[in-house]
Amino acid sequence: MPPATARSNHRAACKNSGSNKEMRRRRMRRCVEVRRKMEALRRLVPGGGGGGGEDAGGEELLFRAADYIARLQVQVKVMQLMVDVLEQTKD
């Protein structure tokens, strides 16, 4: 939880930024947008739960996505090495 001064500053900023309804609407829009992006990520990441099986939680999904990205980067490097080797053997 943030320190009391940060909380009071946040409250003051919220009070000055518009009505409570407006703030709730913004928060709701943000939540919907995050949910939509997490669902898209779930469909892209193997084991993310997009196939209807087990459902990964938010934090677990982000860790799986980071791991998947790292594995894809390694695959790209290996393929690039293979291309380089094949180009050298062509000459």
Side-chain angles (χ1 to χ4, degrees), residues 8-60:
S8 61
N9 290 341
H10 177 70
R11 283 188 199 128
C14 287
K15 284 181 183 178
N16 295 332
S17 67
S19 70
N20 283 337
K21 283 184 181 180
E22 183 182 330
M23 290 303 295
R24 276 189 296 240
R25 217 174 308 130
R26 284 183 192 163
R27 241 182 273 129
M28 182 62 84
R29 226 179 298 134
R30 217 174 312 141
C31 287
V32 168
E33 187 68 18
V34 168
R35 230 180 271 128
R36 185 182 66 77
K37 289 178 180 183
M38 291 297 279
E39 283 303 316
L41 188 61
R42 213 172 252 115
R43 286 189 298 272
L44 291 171
V45 175
E54 69 182 48
D55 193 20
E59 187 175 347
E60 182 182 349

Side-chain angles (χ1 to χ4, degrees), residues 1 7 22 34 42 45 53 56 78 85 88:
M1 198 158 186
R7 274 191 305 237
E22 183 182 330
V34 168
R42 213 172 252 115
V45 175
V78 168
V85 167
Q88 287 177 359

